[in-house]
Amino acid sequence: MIKCEIIAVGKLKEEYFRAAANEYIKRLSPHMRVDVKEIPECKSLKEEGELILKAATGYKIALCVEGAKLSSEAFSKKIKGFIDEGKTMTFIIGSSEGLSGEVKEKADTLMSFSDMTFPHMLARVMLLEQLYRAVTIINGGKYHK
């Protein structure tokens, strides 16, 4: 089974974010193993970056505004490639301050959801939803319209 890691700075404090994240992790469980590693918020991006890079093990995809924007279909093709190659995907979500330059430089790919700014806690739920959408596209499910 393919492994997906999500390295995120901070804990999901609001119950509604936790409930949504857990629901998508449950929906993903027949298709991939999702491991979430929460990094504590630090006094500096540099310090957070060091902790992130220490925790990152797979193909590193950093979520940041300057990253590539993909449609759900294009994202599902990327996920299918990881599945076919048996690669561990490691998605990185920074704090409200973003990601350090070092994390962005050492990432294999930079990805963005939008030019808009979203709370980093919501970004985790959005990522999980898009992963679920991707696997339903790959498997010909009806979730994606």
Side-chain angles (χ1 to χ4, degrees):
M1 180 176 289
I2 190 76
K3 182 178 176 187
C4 175
E5 294 179 333
I6 298 174
I7 299 174
V9 176
K11 294 186 178 294
L12 291 179
K13 295 174 185 140
E14 291 84 0
E15 175 54 33
Y16 50 89
F17 284 143
R18 283 194 307 272
N22 289 335
E23 176 63 25
Y24 285 114
I25 290 170
K26 181 176 87 176
R27 291 182 187 190
L28 283 162
S29 65
H31 310 284
M32 65 177 64
R33 192 173 92 226
V34 178
D35 293 329
V36 178
K37 298 177 183 177
E38 293 179 328
I39 303 297
E41 294 184 43
C42 300
K43 293 180 182 175
S44 71
L45 283 181
K46 181 179 179 356
E47 191 177 346
E48 284 177 1
E50 290 168 357
L51 292 173
I52 288 168
L53 291 172
K54 197 178 289 186
T57 60
Y59 184 90
K60 295 177 280 307
I61 304 155
L63 299 180
C64 56
V65 71
E66 54 273 55
K69 293 167 197 67
L70 302 173
S71 68
S72 294
E73 293 84 356
F75 183 62
S76 72
K77 286 180 184 170
K78 284 217 175 266
I79 299 304
K80 175 117 174 60
F82 290 121
I83 291 169
D84 291 347
E85 295 173 22
K87 278 188 183 176
T88 297
M89 305 167 270
T90 301
F91 291 92
I92 301 168
I93 302 170
S95 67
S96 59
E97 299 298 318
L99 291 168
S100 71
E102 185 180 19
V103 169
K104 292 176 190 179
E105 288 170 17
K106 293 194 174 176
D108 297 298
T109 299
L110 302 179
M111 189 177 96
S112 174
F113 286 129
S114 170
D115 290 330
M116 294 179 174
T117 302
F118 296 102
H120 66 288
M121 299 299 166
L122 180 58
R124 190 184 318 186
V125 175
M126 291 169 61
L127 171 62
L128 288 163
E129 189 280 335
Q130 283 299 299
L131 286 166
Y132 178 67
R133 185 176 299 272
V135 297
T136 60
I137 291 170
I138 291 164
N139 294 316
K142 295 184 189 243
Y143 179 78
H144 179 68
K145 297 176 174 77

